Amino acid sequence: MRISEILRRKGSDVVTIAPDATVHALLEILATNNVGAVVVSPDASYMVGIVSERDVVRALHRHGAAILGRSVSEIMTDVVHTCCPEDRVETLNARMTEHRIRHLPVVRDGRMIGIVSIGDVVKSQIAELETEREHLVQYLHG
């Protein structure tokens, strides 16, 4: 299965936040949208980073509650791993595991067109296994 199929099923909405927004505003966006990471972008298509719940926890540990008033750009990860719609789910799973990341923006021609999470990857793999199982049962009982 390709990443484009995951996006077709789940949609291509990407939650973004401006680099100068506060960490407090980030927490509201994470909670309101029920997501674990937000792409940092000045214009919702060009990425300058990604910030996750994990980044917030690490910043709170290092700086305490004062970090809540600071900008997202101070805690974001600025080296963003991405994928393409043509990438296969299996390679994405390996890349996410290798780099210990849970969210990958999907990019085409330099523009962000979606985002996939480890949950999306696992869900698609389970669906593939279920389809294979059904085909095998039909073959055996056919």
Side-chain angles (χ1 to χ4, degrees):
M1 179 180 290
R2 303 225 180 258
I3 300 309
S4 57
E5 179 64 20
I6 291 177
L7 288 182
R8 188 183 66 74
R9 291 180 182 171
K10 76 172 258 184
S12 59
D13 291 342
V14 179
V15 180
T16 62
I17 191 167
D20 59 349
T22 65
V23 174
H24 186 269
L26 167 68
L27 293 176
E28 183 177 339
I29 288 172
L30 288 167
T32 301
N33 291 281
N34 195 29
V35 294
V38 176
V39 173
V40 182
S41 173
D43 64 2
S45 66
Y46 173 75
M47 286 180 295
V48 295
I50 192 165
V51 62
S52 69
E53 295 164 328
R54 185 183 293 171
D55 294 319
V56 174
V57 168
R58 288 179 179 151
L60 281 168
H61 175 71
R62 278 193 308 273
H63 305 289
I67 197 67
L68 296 174
R70 310 276 293 269
S71 71
V72 168
S73 63
E74 295 181 49
I75 69 166
M76 72 180 188
T77 301
D78 58 1
V79 177
V80 182
H81 293 273
T82 63
C83 63
C84 301
E86 298 77 24
D87 287 345
R88 297 196 57 78
V89 170
E90 299 81 22
T91 60
L92 202 64
N93 191 6
R95 192 178 332 160
M96 291 173 115
T97 301
E98 177 185 345
H99 295 289
R100 299 181 53 95
I101 53 179
R102 297 179 183 147
H103 301 85
L104 281 175
V106 183
V107 177
R108 177 186 287 140
D109 299 326
R111 292 186 54 87
M112 186 172 46
I113 63 165
I115 191 165
V116 291
S117 69
I118 191 70
D120 299 326
V121 170
V122 169
K123 184 177 178 181
S124 73
Q125 290 177 320
I126 289 170
E128 275 191 52
L129 289 172
E130 183 61 28
T131 300
E132 286 179 27
R133 187 190 71 77
E134 289 172 9
H135 288 207
L136 287 171
V137 167
Q138 287 176 357
Y139 175 76
L140 291 172
H141 296 290

